[in-house]
Amino acid sequence: MHPIQITDASFDKDVLASNKPVLIDFWATWCGPCRMIAPIVEEIATEYEGKVVVGKVDVDENQNIAINYGIRSIPTLIIFKDGKVVEQIVGAVPKKHIVERLNAHVN
């Protein structure tokens, strides 16, 4: 399972209306640290399949979402639950850190 590509157009349906927790990776193609955590995000997408929606937002192509959520530094990971932000993780962090924060919101 790969993360889904989230766009300005699909954000409300894929993230805000989701009945599962959603982990979004805000990234850009030119961002080195983003490329470092990409494999971790893919592993989480596979490991949490059916429990969590995992998506990626390219901040260059979807600036409205990035502006709405105040993304100033990438990579930024945001966990949404019931359409609301419940966690925000900035920077390339170890998988253990992401999973601990995510597990707090998985039923």
Side-chain angles (χ1 to χ4, degrees):
M1 181 80 191
H2 292 290
I4 60 173
Q5 299 303 314
I6 308 276
T7 65
D8 286 340
S10 71
F11 186 81
D12 286 356
K13 176 178 70 70
D14 291 338
V15 179
L16 300 183
S18 177
N19 60 357
K20 297 177 182 146
V22 182
L23 172 67
I24 301 295
D25 175 15
F26 289 87
W27 71 289
T29 55
W30 48 264
C31 168
C34 297
R35 288 194 299 273
M36 286 172 45
I37 69 160
I40 294 170
V41 173
E42 294 212 6
E43 285 175 20
I44 291 171
T46 299
E47 292 167 11
Y48 285 81
E49 185 175 0
K51 293 187 259 178
V52 174
V53 174
V54 179
K56 294 177 78 74
V57 172
D58 184 325
V59 296
D60 289 333
E61 295 178 8
N62 302 283
Q63 295 180 0
N64 288 339
I65 301 169
I67 290 167
N68 287 348
Y69 288 94
I71 305 301
R72 290 188 175 82
S73 178
I74 54 174
T76 292
L77 301 173
I78 296 183
I79 301 169
F80 292 82
K81 188 167 186 180
D82 300 322
K84 303 205 175 1
V85 174
V86 292
E87 297 277 352
Q88 183 166 329
I89 304 165
V90 178
V93 298
K95 179 180 178 181
K96 176 179 178 247
H97 182 73
I98 299 167
V99 168
E100 282 174 358
R101 305 278 286 278
L102 186 58
N103 283 341
H105 304 287
V106 175
N107 298 336

